[in-house]
Amino acid sequence: MTLTVLYFAWLRERIGEGREEVETDAATPAELVEELRAREERYAVAFQDISALKVAVDQELVGFDAPLAGAKEVAFFPPMTGG
Amino acid sequence: MDIRVQSEPFQPGALLDAFTAGVSGAGAVVSFTGLVRDVDDALEHMVIEHYPGMTERALTKIAQDAQDRWPLSDVLILHRYGELRAEEPIMMVATASRHRKAAFEAADFLMDYLKSRAPFWKNERVAGEDRWVAATEEDEDALKAWETR
């Protein structure tokens, strides 16, 4: 499947882009992170500690073990600091 | 329910007047306005990044959760993004209810949830250096406190 993958805040800066299309068979965000880490050093650095990150699938906050079946958009970002 | 995500500045007084004029059957209106906090008188500017689409959905969900929890006749959330200067208004919430306690509690709930559940990220430029504002443990603790109430 093709997923739109988004990165925000310092994660976007470390990866060097905010949005990309990714061809993947990952079943969960955690598996997708593993694939990205293996791809290039900048992903390995950015995703070094996923406990410091959050993930949204189709714009809903979920856990890293949530299913990706049928998903179109996955976003990774640090904890939010609104307000 | 009025949810606004915008880069343009806003006038808290004018917004509150309009909100108050539009509510019906309420006996209390509570509002909170957040300002850009200066950092040792040295904040050059703040840039707020957000996730268009998810931001509006998350704010709508937070407002709905507040309406499920308290008898509110109306809710307003406005949050800015983009570049802001020290002491400029960043965001505002307003709640209207028949009684003040529900209006106060709901406004506090909205603030706690939008701090850590709405996809905004603050970046401060201080002395020529850009740095991302870190979330705090107190932010998550505040949510846990609502979950157990």
Side-chain angles (χ1 to χ4, degrees):
Chain A
M1 63 183 162
T2 306
L3 285 176
T4 299
V5 183
L6 306 173
Y7 311 104
F8 291 95
W10 58 255
L11 193 67
R12 171 180 54 71
E13 292 179 341
R14 283 183 203 176
I15 289 168
E17 56 199 325
R19 179 192 186 97
E20 61 181 326
E21 304 296 313
V22 175
E23 190 58 41
T24 179
D25 292 317
T28 64
E31 285 186 27
L32 178 59
V33 167
E34 282 314 309
E35 285 181 16
L36 292 169
R37 268 181 185 148
R39 223 160 67 168
E40 279 180 58
E41 181 64 20
R42 60 192 167 114
Y43 292 98
V45 171
F47 284 110
Q48 206 163 26
D49 176 15
I50 63 166
S51 72
L53 295 174
K54 304 229 175 244
V55 58
V57 172
D58 291 335
Q59 304 188 353
E60 296 278 352
L61 272 179
V62 295
F64 278 85
D65 56 353
L68 281 184
K72 291 189 163 42
E73 187 171 291
V74 178
F76 296 102
F77 41 80
M80 298 161 268
T81 52
Chain B
M1 184 189 300
D2 187 355
I3 306 293
R4 304 188 202 183
V5 181
Q6 64 184 54
S7 59
E8 300 76 34
F10 68 99
Q11 293 190 308
L15 194 59
L16 181 59
D17 281 350
F19 178 78
T20 305
V23 297
S24 59
V29 168
V30 166
S31 76
F32 173 87
T33 304
L35 307 180
V36 177
R37 201 176 292 124
D38 205 345
V39 183
D40 306 326
D41 276 334
L43 182 78
E44 287 167 46
H45 64 233
M46 170 181 279
V47 177
I48 301 178
E49 182 170 329
H50 82 119
Y51 181 174
M54 181 174 168
T55 306
E56 292 79 1
R57 285 171 69 142
L59 294 179
T60 302
K61 163 96 172 46
I62 293 164
Q64 274 165 354
D65 288 348
Q67 285 184 316
D68 289 346
R69 209 163 159 149
W70 291 277
L72 303 176
S73 37
D74 210 352
V75 178
L76 164 83
I77 303 177
L78 183 153
H79 204 300
R80 290 178 64 193
Y81 62 89
E83 189 175 317
L84 292 90
R85 305 271 155 187
E87 284 153 29
E88 266 190 76
I90 295 189
M91 52 80 56
M92 182 168 148
V93 300
T95 55
S97 186
R98 285 192 68 76
H99 298 286
R100 78 186 141 88
K101 198 161 186 196
F104 267 116
E105 286 184 1
D108 196 23
F109 173 94
L110 291 175
M111 285 308 308
D112 282 342
Y113 275 83
L114 76 82
K115 268 187 106 66
S116 11
R117 290 292 180 271
F120 291 101
W121 299 274
K122 292 185 181 130
N123 189 293
E124 296 171 336
R125 172 166 292 186
V126 178
E129 299 263 325
D130 291 333
R131 60 186 192 203
W132 292 100
V133 173
T136 66
E137 264 180 51
E138 290 88 70
D139 295 341
E140 280 299 315
D141 290 348
L143 301 195
K144 283 189 199 119
W146 286 112
E147 282 160 19
T148 54
R149 265 170 86 162

